[in-house]
Amino acid sequence: MKYVFLSVAFVLCTVTCLAQDAFTSAQRAGWLRKAEASKPVLTETVKKPVRIVKSVANSKAFQGWEVVESGSINDFYANSIRAQSGVVIDFGEHLTGYFTCSLALHNSSDSDAPVRLRFTFGETPAEIAVPFEPYTGGLSRAWLQDEVITVDYVPYRIAIPRRVAFRYLKIEVLAHSSFDFKIDDMTVTAQTSAASKPAPLAASTPSLMAGIDRVGLATLKECMQTVYEDGTKRDLRLWIGDLYLEALANSYSYKNHALTKRCLYLFAGLAAQSGLLHSAVFDRPEPHPQTGQHILDYALLYNSALLDYLKTTSDKETALDLWPVAVKQVEIAKTYIGEDMMYNDKPIWIFFDWKDHFDRKASLQGLFVKTFKDTYELAELLGKEKEAAGLPDFIKRLVKAARSNMYDPKSGLMLSGKDRQTSYLSQAWMTLGGVFTTKEAQRALKAALADPNAVYPGSPYATHFLIEAMLACGMTQEAKEYLTTYWGDMVRKGADTFWEVYDPHNDFASPYNFYPVNSYCHAWSCTPVYFIRKYPEIFQQ
């Protein structure tokens, strides 16, 4: 799939706005110490398999595959694995952790040669049914969770060293001698930093909405590790976009605010020399950034995440400590705004969504406005108004430019780019930025939703902001219907956790040219938890 960015080509650009480091070494070291001090202890739970299943092709099932029960775990343990090669084990839920099992002799006195096994871990039925070769994906083949283990002698305790994220496990016997053996005592030590139990929903909550909340909570729980991981199978890192959305959902469920604090400090301590935040950071083997990886819209969302953290926790000390980081994101953002108060086409990755042929200029203009408004509100809460004194006027100029250059009074839509594109997200971000009046926002969103040629969101991440915009302008019934349809479809298609990419019109959509490498437990998909629990009068009735 080809993605069009707001530069001539896909650019990962290191911004060098200043010749010297934007932050002192003492600041950075202090921020990283505070990140480490907030590092959570992972809760470990031992999980065991629940049944034996087999993969069955079904054109009506998600991605063409389903599983059906075919046996019991006790029967599997009692019989030779040689006679059961290709067996699929169902653990009954999505798990993130470490797998172990035992190899034992079966009707044999000893082992006379090595045994070679392949373990394939899958989040979805298709992932353990579709051959991985030939691999055509655009990401590393190593992300796929198939592990070949050679055991020199039996009995033996196998421990897969790699952390895995899965529900289904396929076991294949690749090589053996004449002796017989079996597998016993399969366990997964599952890990999460989500320790508390969220409050129950109202008894009036519709069953599908309750199911959406349940799957959203499972998604969030799995991705809450020592950082807010974006995917527990693939990527295993912290992105600013995921931080913002996971923190919103966490605030209304598990309430592990120390994890949010840790992530905010990690981004600060690992910022580029210019002060621009890296879009992604790792905390293993030790904290470090994904060097050179910058997404402008993600850097801007950091300020909104910091504001939300302050309003949720009243932790003014942390917000004051990180205020210079928020200021720096605003300063850098201004370098991407021309004299006409519009994006100046300076090359940088601008994301917003996994979507072909989506023009991002209107969305970015709306986000500029939202970010600067959120930053000024943060300044007011921290008593820093003097440092942000120029923002209100700057915001007015951004709004005026948006309305002059993008607003079409006849249709009521914000039209993006040289082709004057209509998209759901253009209207959503202009709504969230307050560029529209409430009536204008309703008109624009309804017009986009009714236009069959409008570009619709291609991911749960983008869909979150559409729902948020609907709620912001009073389209509560439309928000409820859209959330129920979009995330409810994933539940109806068997989701244990919500997916990185979901296009209702294409079950095989993948930004990576190979759908099994998609993440099927992805942090940015968990936000129905936030909506359902923040607005019970809308979503729990």
Side-chain angles (χ1 to χ4, degrees), residues 94-142:
H94 190 285
L95 300 172
T96 299
Y98 293 88
F99 173 82
T100 62
C101 68
S102 294
L103 282 185
L105 293 171
H106 180 67
N107 298 330
S108 297
S109 58
D110 58 25
S111 57
D112 59 2
V115 170
R116 181 165 292 166
L117 305 171
R118 176 184 286 119
F119 297 85
T120 302
F121 300 88
E123 296 180 298
T124 64
E127 199 174 341
I128 46 95
V130 173
F132 291 166
E133 309 298 348
Y135 182 66
T136 59
L139 298 178
S140 171
R141 165 67 172 80

Side-chain angles (χ1 to χ4, degrees), residues 192-301:
T192 179
S193 61
S196 64
K197 187 175 180 179
L201 301 181
S204 58
T205 306
S207 60
L208 180 57
M209 193 68 75
I212 293 170
D213 181 74
R214 171 181 52 78
V215 176
L217 287 172
T219 307
L220 178 59
K221 172 181 69 70
E222 293 289 273
C223 293
M224 289 174 66
Q225 299 293 325
T226 51
V227 295
Y228 286 123
E229 289 186 10
D230 68 325
T232 54
K233 177 188 84 177
R234 205 217 63 238
D235 263 15
L236 314 186
R237 69 202 75 178
L238 167 67
W239 295 76
I240 298 177
D242 296 279
L243 158 62
Y244 179 51
L245 297 191
E246 282 189 271
L248 290 175
N250 170 64
S251 293
Y252 287 87
S253 56
Y254 297 109
K255 304 184 187 299
N256 185 352
H257 302 305
L259 183 62
T260 304
K261 179 178 178 179
R262 169 172 167 75
C263 294
L264 290 167
Y265 271 119
L266 280 174
F267 279 116
L270 299 172
Q273 185 182 42
S274 67
L276 180 62
L277 296 174
H278 288 93
S279 56
V281 301
F282 302 85
D283 74 332
R284 291 178 292 176
E286 59 186 23
H288 64 283
Q290 189 165 357
T291 306
Q293 183 85 286
H294 299 291
I295 301 176
L296 181 57
D297 43 308
Y298 273 26
L300 296 176
L301 281 175

Side-chain angles (χ1 to χ4, degrees), residues 69 117 139 157 204 240 282 327 345 398 406 411 459 499-500 525:
E69 187 166 356
L117 305 171
L139 298 178
R157 184 70 179 172
S204 58
I240 298 177
F282 302 85
V327 170
D345 294 321
L398 284 170
M406 295 181 169
S411 66
S459 65
W499 309 324
E500 173 186 16
S525 305

Side-chain angles (χ1 to χ4, degrees), residues 335-377:
T335 70
Y336 288 89
I337 299 171
E339 292 183 1
D340 62 353
M341 299 306 292
M342 304 285 289
Y343 172 61
N344 60 13
D345 294 321
K346 186 177 176 180
I348 191 170
W349 184 5
I350 298 173
F351 177 62
F352 284 105
D353 194 12
W354 283 129
K355 188 70 176 181
D356 283 334
H357 314 302
F358 163 49
D359 191 282
R360 293 155 167 81
K361 283 192 173 180
S363 297
L364 182 60
Q365 190 77 6
L367 178 58
F368 279 144
V369 177
K370 174 177 167 51
T371 296
F372 295 163
K373 284 184 175 179
D374 285 353
T375 305
Y376 192 74
E377 183 179 354

Side-chain angles (χ1 to χ4, degrees), residues 49-57 65-77 81 83-92 99 118-130 166-173 183 186:
V50 297
R51 61 177 184 163
I52 305 298
V53 296
K54 63 179 179 180
S55 301
V56 177
W65 290 92
E66 64 177 346
V67 296
V68 296
E69 187 166 356
S70 63
S72 73
I73 293 297
N74 288 338
D75 287 345
F76 168 74
Y77 284 156
I81 182 60
Q84 301 179 84
S85 180
V87 66
V88 178
I89 315 296
D90 181 7
F91 277 76
F99 173 82
R118 176 184 286 119
F119 297 85
T120 302
F121 300 88
E123 296 180 298
T124 64
E127 199 174 341
I128 46 95
V130 173
F166 74 108
R167 173 175 173 172
Y168 304 103
L169 165 62
K170 180 167 67 176
I171 305 174
E172 299 168 276
V173 180
I183 285 181
M186 292 181 289

